[in-house]
Amino acid sequence: MAETIALIDFGAGNLHSVHNALMATGASGVVVTADPDVVAAADRIVLPGVGAFGACRDALASIDGMIAAMEQQVRQEGAPFLGICVGMQLLADKGIEFGEHQGLGWIGGTVHAIEAPSADIKIPHMGWNDVTPTAGHDLLEAGEAYYLHGYHFDATNADDIFATTYHGRTLVSAIGRDNIVGVQFHPEKSQAYGLAFLKRFLEWKP
Amino acid sequence: MTVRIRVIPCLDVADGRVVKGVNFVDLKDAGDPVEQARAYDAAGADELCFLDIGASHENRDTIIDVVRRTAEVCFMPVTVGGGVRTADDARALLMAGADKVAVNSAAVSRPEVVSDIAGRFGSQCMVASIDARQVDEGCWEIFTHGGRTPTGIDALEHAVRMAELGAGELLVTSMDRDGTRDGYDLSLTRVIADAVSIPVVASGGVGNLDHMVEGVIKGGANAVLAASIFHFGQHSISEAHDALRAAGLPARHNS
């Protein structure tokens, strides 16, 4: 039986683009869902997200039972999980963006505004930049991907960082642990590199 | 390396049809924006810009449909401008698959729309589009409605205000240079790029690849927008990337 891939719908702006990209990889079992029961039974879970940390967190938390379903299926049952952009940042303990907001706390760290070290470094970090793997990880290959963010994941444990990129300073490009991975770049907008990444995620057996 | 200089082809769309677009490849329907977008996606464009030049408020669904169909088959970032007047207009485009929305006339008449959009959807998607004409040495004025209507507003002051209100990017078009193929107005681009901490896209007047390189080196732009030199096949996206790299600038490798 084909796997069910739950793409969580909490109103994120990149929801449909992520859906389109997953479909383009040939995935058959993608379900766009706001139903915690579907998430609790999914084989894989994808969390999109763009915009502000607090707004995304509130929208996700406003779906009764959703965070509990994610906790159960990802952290207890070990279903492979992918967070994209703010969907990745939500893995952190907290985010400092228009106030302080609690994150999922799955991966230690805080989401902060990127501070430009000099005037020629423009914020948001917008455009194609490197994905530089820090250690061998099945999902991450060196390449160029599209980034669009003004905030970044400041990780507590260096071991959780799977890949970095450089924009005036080193920034986390991919983070995770065990069956959890989050990427700051947008695979759904990164042409061949991004589609190949999504395909690897759909085949990933952590 | 660091973030790459972006090369952005721009397609003018009116009533869901391309007005000025690609004619260097065999397209079944050269007027279809989606087919044109696919050609640029395949060519490795860093982003695409749709400018809805015929935008009437009654006809918003047409461009939204174009964006939705484009997002189904193109996996590059898309900016959509033209007729975006409210945060709800922006929302409809973003939910259809646009990554950024460009606001022009509405940001002049009602600047708070910029903070509305940035507040609801994030600065990263809020592009302030600025059309300017030189009115004196080192002085540019904002024009709206396709460069026809003077506003009396100083372009530099307006650019700084847009950034303060939460714009995440400025698309700076010289209405003096637009369509001339004489190159960007480098002084205009430079004076704005030096005054803001957000990325600036140079637009208006590209006639050759050197103009793109100058837009970055002399104009201080983070991205270069062009239309006709790509649409007519004079140069490819990868030639533009090569020219940027040859000048020592970071640009993507098209595989």
Side-chain angles (χ1 to χ4, degrees):
Chain A
M1 207 176 86
E3 285 195 340
T4 299
I5 300 126
L7 173 57
I8 298 178
D9 177 7
F10 64 91
N14 60 343
L15 175 72
H16 295 293
S17 295
V18 173
H19 185 225
N20 289 331
L22 288 168
M23 299 307 282
T25 66
S28 55
V30 183
V31 183
V32 176
T33 184
D35 182 348
D37 292 341
V38 172
V39 171
D43 297 294
R44 291 172 199 273
I45 296 169
V46 180
L47 184 67
V50 291
F53 186 100
C56 285
R57 160 76 204 198
D58 291 349
L60 185 64
S62 74
I63 305 172
D64 200 26
M66 182 58 84
I67 291 176
M70 291 165 60
E71 292 270 354
Q72 184 243 312
Q73 194 61 4
V74 177
R75 303 188 85 199
Q76 308 300 319
E77 301 298 322
F81 172 92
L82 170 62
I84 297 172
C85 194
V86 179
M88 166 264 214
Q89 295 181 348
L90 287 172
L91 295 170
D93 298 311
K94 61 182 176 181
I96 315 288
E97 183 171 358
F98 304 113
E100 184 174 318
H101 308 273
Q102 200 186 351
L104 293 168
W106 293 2
I107 304 292
T110 304
V111 174
H112 290 287
I114 306 171
E115 286 174 24
S118 58
D120 60 322
I121 301 297
K122 302 288 187 155
I123 310 292
H125 175 215
M126 183 184 285
W128 294 77
N129 205 339
D130 298 300
V131 178
T132 307
T134 47
H137 190 280
D138 293 346
L139 294 185
L140 290 151
E141 291 185 357
E144 296 170 307
Y146 190 85
Y147 295 83
L148 184 57
H149 62 120
Y151 290 76
H152 73 108
F153 198 123
D154 189 4
T156 307
N157 305 308
D159 289 350
D160 294 335
I161 299 171
F162 294 158
T164 60
T165 193
Y166 190 83
H167 184 58
R169 53 162 291 172
T170 299
L171 298 171
V172 170
S173 171
I175 200 160
R177 196 184 303 141
D178 305 325
N179 56 314
I180 297 168
V181 65
V183 292
Q184 183 64 70
F185 60 86
H186 287 275
E188 77 280 14
K189 296 289 176 173
S190 295
Q191 293 173 341
Y193 179 88
L195 296 182
F197 169 83
L198 290 173
K199 198 165 171 59
R200 287 195 296 277
F201 171 75
L202 294 173
E203 292 162 358
W204 187 34
K205 292 186 170 51
Chain B
M1 244 209 285
T2 188
V3 70
R4 314 299 192 260
I5 301 299
R6 287 168 285 145
V7 175
I8 308 173
C10 181
L11 291 165
D12 288 352
V13 177
D15 299 321
R17 304 289 292 173
V18 174
V19 175
K20 189 171 74 171
V22 180
N23 66 1
F24 63 93
V25 285
D26 271 340
L27 298 176
K28 267 182 272 172
D29 177 359
D32 180 6
V34 182
E35 278 212 52
Q36 303 237 352
R38 282 180 91 139
Y40 281 124
D41 193 34
D46 296 321
E47 290 182 10
L48 183 74
C49 182
F50 279 129
L51 196 56
D52 189 11
I53 59 171
S56 65
H57 219 65
E58 301 72 48
N59 213 3
R60 295 300 298 162
D61 291 348
T62 310
I63 188 71
I64 290 163
D65 181 59
V66 165
V67 172
R68 184 176 296 110
R69 289 188 295 119
T70 299
E72 283 170 7
V73 292
C74 292
F75 302 100
M76 64 182 155
V78 176
T79 299
V80 185
V84 180
R85 289 174 176 80
T86 65
D88 285 335
D89 291 343
R91 182 179 189 280
L93 291 167
L94 295 170
M95 290 311 292
D99 300 277
K100 300 185 257 181
V101 291
V103 185
N104 191 322
S105 300
V108 175
S109 58
R110 211 172 63 83
E112 60 273 21
V113 72
V114 173
S115 44
D116 284 354
I117 293 172
R120 277 179 66 184
F121 312 114
S123 288
Q124 86 290 333
C125 74
M126 172 57 233
V127 181
S129 175
I130 294 173
D131 292 347
R133 282 186 194 281
Q134 188 162 15
V135 288
D136 207 339
E137 184 67 29
C139 192
W140 294 263
E141 181 180 337
I142 298 292
F143 280 67
T144 56
H145 302 92
R148 295 188 301 274
T149 311
T151 64
I153 298 169
D154 180 75
L156 178 59
E157 284 175 20
H158 181 66
V160 169
R161 179 143 194 238
M162 292 292 102
E164 286 169 354
L165 286 170
E169 183 172 56
L170 300 177
L171 170 56
V172 179
T173 303
S174 163
M175 300 312 291
D176 299 311
R177 296 299 181 91
D178 202 30
T180 64
R181 304 170 76 85
D182 290 338
Y184 300 119
D185 183 335
L186 299 172
S187 307
L188 168 68
T189 313
R190 171 56 76 177
V191 75
I192 289 176
D194 283 350
V196 297
S197 60
I198 57 177
V200 169
V201 185
S203 163
V206 169
N208 59 50
L209 298 177
D210 288 342
H211 290 153
M212 294 189 161
V213 172
E214 284 175 355
V216 179
I217 292 179
K218 295 182 181 163
N222 306 95
V224 285
L225 184 136
S228 53
I229 78 162
F230 295 133
H231 301 335
F232 300 117
Q234 184 186 342
H235 290 291
S236 66
I237 300 291
S238 68
E239 283 170 1
H241 285 150
D242 291 346
L244 292 166
R245 270 201 311 281
L249 296 165
R252 204 149 65 104
H253 290 81
N254 291 86
S255 50

